[in-house]
């Protein structure tokens, strides 16, 4: 079988043979096989037993509320951590500014009346 060249084919220079289809069963077979394998893996990896899962399905509101409470607790913990980091950062910046002002004031007090600064005493 020869390869297809659109320009040659449209100008009638070469003929074109359409490739033959090999196997049309690939997609349906793969889909069915995927569903079967996925179901088996899901059953083996399920975190709950069948009885427990059926009970949860009977009361979906309770299950949803349990999950919601867990998420809310995690969000509150993260917010508390962020607030603590902000508090520490603000405290550090405040202390840093106070130290800067104190150093500037010390330098100013020490150098009153002098035209130059003696760096050896700093």
């Amino acid at each position: 079988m020869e390869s297809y060249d659109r320009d040659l084919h449209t100008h009638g220079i070469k003929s074109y043979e359409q490739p033959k289809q090999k196997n049309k069963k690939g997609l349906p077979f793969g889909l069915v096989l995927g569903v079967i394998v996925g179901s088996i893996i899901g059953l083996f990896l399920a975190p709950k037993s069948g009885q427990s899962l059926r009970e949860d399905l009977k009361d979906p509101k309770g299950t949803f509320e349990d999950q919601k409470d867990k998420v809310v607790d995690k969000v509150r913990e993260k917010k508390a951590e962020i607030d603590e980091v902000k508090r520490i950062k603000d405290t550090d910046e405040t202390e840093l500014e106070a130290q800067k002002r104190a150093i500037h004031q010390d330098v100013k007090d020490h150098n009153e009346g002098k035209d130059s600064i003696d760096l050896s005493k700093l």
Side-chain angles (χ1 to χ4, degrees), residues 1-5 8-9 13-19:
M1 181 174 81
E2 58 191 50
S3 63
Y4 175 68
D5 186 350
L8 294 177
H9 179 71
I13 298 173
K14 269 190 170 182
S15 63
Y16 173 68
E17 294 177 20
Q18 198 151 15

Side-chain angles (χ1 to χ4, degrees), residues 98-112:
Q99 288 176 357
K100 283 182 184 178
R101 285 192 301 271
I103 291 170
H104 283 290
Q105 188 62 38
D106 286 346
V107 170
K108 195 178 203 181
D109 291 345
H110 183 70
N111 291 323
E112 280 186 4

Side-chain angles (χ1 to χ4, degrees):
M1 181 174 81
E2 58 191 50
S3 63
Y4 175 68
D5 186 350
R6 185 182 63 84
D7 292 332
L8 294 177
H9 179 71
T10 55
H11 296 295
I13 298 173
K14 269 190 170 182
S15 63
Y16 173 68
E17 294 177 20
Q18 198 151 15
K20 296 177 183 177
Q21 297 291 334
K22 292 182 180 179
N23 187 0
K24 295 182 180 182
K25 296 179 183 178
L27 180 65
F29 178 73
L31 186 62
V32 169
L33 182 65
V35 168
I36 292 170
V37 171
S39 299
I40 291 171
I41 290 174
L43 288 174
F44 282 117
L45 297 178
K48 295 183 177 185
S49 66
Q51 181 64 31
S52 176
L53 186 60
R54 284 189 290 274
E55 288 173 6
D56 287 347
L57 291 175
K58 288 179 183 176
D59 184 26
K61 184 178 177 185
T63 303
F64 174 74
E65 288 179 3
D66 291 343
Q67 294 294 330
K68 180 190 73 155
D69 291 340
K70 289 178 185 177
V71 170
V72 167
D73 289 341
K74 285 182 183 178
V75 169
R76 285 184 181 145
E77 288 174 10
K78 291 294 181 184
K79 184 179 182 318
E81 290 175 11
I82 291 171
D83 290 343
E84 180 65 16
V85 169
K86 284 182 182 179
R87 185 191 66 78
I88 291 171
K89 182 181 174 190
D90 291 342
T91 301
D92 289 346
E93 288 177 0
T94 304
E95 288 176 7
L96 184 62
E97 287 298 320
Q99 288 176 357
K100 283 182 184 178
R101 285 192 301 271
I103 291 170
H104 283 290
Q105 188 62 38
D106 286 346
V107 170
K108 195 178 203 181
D109 291 345
H110 183 70
N111 291 323
E112 280 186 4
K114 295 182 183 178
D115 292 338
S116 63
I117 298 175
D118 183 13
L119 295 176
S120 64
K121 294 181 180 179
L122 291 178

